[in-house]
């Protein structure tokens, strides 16, 4: 029983990390739109749920691989440096 609970906890942790990555990626994309503000970009990025994070997973992975040499933490750090509050 404890092992099952631990496995579910690990699964949930990685799902949350994936959602954070998708939110950071979305924030960076939203910041490039004309007329966008930090507030509006944060609001839209933070509204991403697990389903929406799954929808942008492939685009996020490609962006991380090409721009950040596969470093997910670098993408999140870049988004936070530009005002992401996730």
């Amino acid at each position: 029983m404890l092992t099952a609970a631990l496995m579910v906890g690990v699964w949930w942790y990685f799902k949350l990390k994936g959602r954070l990555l998708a939110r950071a990626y979305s924030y960076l994309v939203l910041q490039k739109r004309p007329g966008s503000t930090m507030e509006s970009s944060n609001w839209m990025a933070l509204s991403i749920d697990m389903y929406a994070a799954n929808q942008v997973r492939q685009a996020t992975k490609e962006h991380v691989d090409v721009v950040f040499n596969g470093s997910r933490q670098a993408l999140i750090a870049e988004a936070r440096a530009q005002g992401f509050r996730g």
Side-chain angles (χ1 to χ4, degrees), residues 42-74:
N42 269 305
W43 182 81
M44 291 179 76
L46 293 176
S47 67
I48 292 176
D49 60 3
M50 293 288 194
Y51 176 77
N54 194 37
Q55 298 300 307
V56 297
R57 182 175 45 127
Q58 186 61 34
T60 303
K61 182 183 179 324
E62 290 172 5
H63 186 76
V64 167
D65 289 343
V66 171
V67 177
F68 296 100
N69 295 324
S71 174
R72 295 178 176 128
Q73 290 302 99

Side-chain angles (χ1 to χ4, degrees), residues 25-45 82-84:
Y25 168 73
S26 299
Y27 176 82
L28 291 174
V29 170
L30 291 166
Q31 276 295 97
K32 294 178 183 175
R33 294 176 58 198
S36 68
T37 63
M38 279 190 346
E39 290 298 318
S40 66
S41 296
N42 269 305
W43 182 81
M44 291 179 76
Q82 293 187 25
F84 177 58

